[in-house]
């Protein structure tokens, strides 16, 4: 085939894990050591345009208008997976932008690689389908496999060495249980240590790593059942436990991974106070200092007002749950 008009635009949203992923069973294929369960957000978007252009000698990658050698290398290696499937070696121009703060603990790598997978698939007319796109998005970032789908999503770790059984599947549509997430931004700027490096360190040097992995199957079963039954109390219990167990593994890593700041702890305290007042809310925290408050419909304005008053909270981002990655009309990002 000739690839000279091969271009497409896709959009994807970040997701937040409720049962966390922390550790790999294979670094090359980026296979998770255990499953995870997440919610895809609605209000934050990555928009990515990919143009495979025979006039190019090298991939040209602009993220939020900036070019970075390490990012370009990562995106090139990712696009190679698609080029191999399409049997082309045409280089691509990629322009991608986020309408939310990048690298601020808002899972921009999840939406970024999910959007890139969908755009590359369409531009090369591969028609791979959502399950294959989830497998491929995983190669860019483990959490990206989940952003291919909307609403409540479960990621399987699989057991196969080739990783063919490590992909995400949708559990429940976003509008079937319309929860809202309020993100309390407690620090700006890129995190001190990436998820990839942090996971490797925990796996190598946290005495709690094996014990953490052993908790995941039961937590997944409990969270899956809570989602199916729309049981908020149960989802709150298992999500907070999974988050805190992951952070316990991080803290026990030598040297320690401490992603929190004083405002992170103050937000947890605030959310616990709201829970005592009977408000439907729970917290989850990823590899960074931001606190994500997951709220029952109707609770989010009260939660946002309370978190806004916490010392050290710099900003709030509120989002409902949304759709998976998809192709959008073909205009440059
Ligand atoms: O796949 P990555 O590199 O974005 O790692 C995700 C790690 C956590 O956000 C901490 C947990 C998760 O399951 O999203």
């Amino acid at each position: 085939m000739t690839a000279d008009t091969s271009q497409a635009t896709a959009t994807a949203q970040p997701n937040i894990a409720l049962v966390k992923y922390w550790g790999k069973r294979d670094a090359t294929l980026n296979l998770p050591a255990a499953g995870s369960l997440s919610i895809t957000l609605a209000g934050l978007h990555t928009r990515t345009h990919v143009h495979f252009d025979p006039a190019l000698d090298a991939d040209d990658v602009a993220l939020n208008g900036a070019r970075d050698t390490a990012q370009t290398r990562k995106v090139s290696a990712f696009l190679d997976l698609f080029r191999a499937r399409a049997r082309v070696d045409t280089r691509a121009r990629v322009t991608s932008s986020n309408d939310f703060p990048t690298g601020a603990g808002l899972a921009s790598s999840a939406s970024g690689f999910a959007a890139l997978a969908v755009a590359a698939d369409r531009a090369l007319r591969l028609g791979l389908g959502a399950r294959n796109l989830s497998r491929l998005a995983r190669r860019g970032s483990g959490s990206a496999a989940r952003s291919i789908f909307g609403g409540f999503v479960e990621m399987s770790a699989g057991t196969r060495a080739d990783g063919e059984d490590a992909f995400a599947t949708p559990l429940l549509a976003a509008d079937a249980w319309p929860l809202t997430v309020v993100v309390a931004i407690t620090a700006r700027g890129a995190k001190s240590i990436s998820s990839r490096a942090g996971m490797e360190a925990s796996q190598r040097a946290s005495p709690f790593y094996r014990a953490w992995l052993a908790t995941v199957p039961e937590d997944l079963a409990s969270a899956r059942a809570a989602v199916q039954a729309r049981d908020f109390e149960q989802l709150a219990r298992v999500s907070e436990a999974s988050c805190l167990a992951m952070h316990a593994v991080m803290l026990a890593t030598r040297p320690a991974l401490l992603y929190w700041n004083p405002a992170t702890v103050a937000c947890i305290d605030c959310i616990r106070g709201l829970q005592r007042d009977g408000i439907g809310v729970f917290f989850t925290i990823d590899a960074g200092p931001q606190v994500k408050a997951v709220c029952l419909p109707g609770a989010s304005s009260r939660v946002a007002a309370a978190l806004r008053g916490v010392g050290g909270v710099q900003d709030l981002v509120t989002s409902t749950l949304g759709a998976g990655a998809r192709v959008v009309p073909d205009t440059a990002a």
Side-chain angles (χ1 to χ4, degrees), residues 22-191:
W22 196 252
K24 300 180 199 294
R25 66 180 173 91
D26 181 290
T28 311
L29 292 173
N30 209 23
L31 298 173
S36 54
L37 189 148
S38 62
I39 44 180
T40 302
L41 302 181
L44 319 171
H45 304 90
T46 296
R47 188 181 170 90
T48 302
H49 180 79
V50 180
H51 181 189
F52 289 91
D53 182 352
L56 292 174
D57 293 329
D59 291 320
D60 175 39
V61 180
L63 299 183
N64 291 315
R67 288 172 170 77
D68 171 281
T69 316
Q71 283 285 7
T72 300
R73 204 173 305 125
K74 223 174 150 192
V75 168
S76 271
F78 187 73
L79 290 177
D80 284 344
L81 303 171
F82 291 82
R83 282 188 278 251
R85 279 160 180 77
R87 296 176 205 286
V88 297
D89 65 0
T90 320
R91 303 292 104 182
R93 186 173 295 106
V94 176
T95 47
S96 184
S97 55
N98 296 327
D99 64 4
F100 59 95
T102 302
L106 291 172
S108 51
S109 68
S111 51
F113 280 106
L116 186 58
V118 169
D121 173 66
R122 174 60 65 93
L124 293 171
R125 300 179 185 86
L126 285 165
L128 290 171
R131 179 166 290 186
N132 281 320
L133 290 176
S134 178
R135 287 187 183 102
L136 283 162
R138 187 201 74 226
R139 300 284 293 272
S141 153
S143 55
R146 302 187 306 238
S147 272
I148 294 294
F149 301 103
F152 297 78
V153 178
E154 183 169 347
M155 175 75 194
S156 301
T159 54
R160 287 175 53 153
D162 64 5
E164 284 302 289
D165 52 358
F167 51 79
T169 42
L171 270 185
L172 187 71
D175 58 3
W177 198 16
L179 305 182
T180 299
V181 180
V182 179
V183 184
I185 312 276
T186 65
R188 302 253 175 225
K191 56 183 130 190

Side-chain angles (χ1 to χ4, degrees), residues 15-17 19-22 24 30 36 109-110 141-144 146 195-196 199 246 250 285-287:
N15 69 79
I16 309 283
V19 177
K20 302 294 188 187
Y21 149 57
W22 196 252
K24 300 180 199 294
N30 209 23
S36 54
S109 68
S141 153
S143 55
R146 302 187 306 238
S195 308
R196 190 170 291 242
M199 277 182 213
M246 177 184 76
M250 293 164 163
I285 304 159
D286 294 302

Side-chain angles (χ1 to χ4, degrees), residues 213-233:
L213 278 190
T215 66
V216 180
E218 212 170 294
D219 283 353
L220 267 181
S222 166
R224 194 187 306 125
V227 167
Q228 274 148 5
R230 321 281 199 278
D231 183 338
F232 191 79
E233 298 280 306

Side-chain angles (χ1 to χ4, degrees), residues 186-205:
T186 65
R188 302 253 175 225
K191 56 183 130 190
S192 47
I193 174 158
S194 70
S195 308
R196 190 170 291 242
M199 277 182 213
E200 276 165 20
S202 290
Q203 206 155 347
R204 204 174 49 241

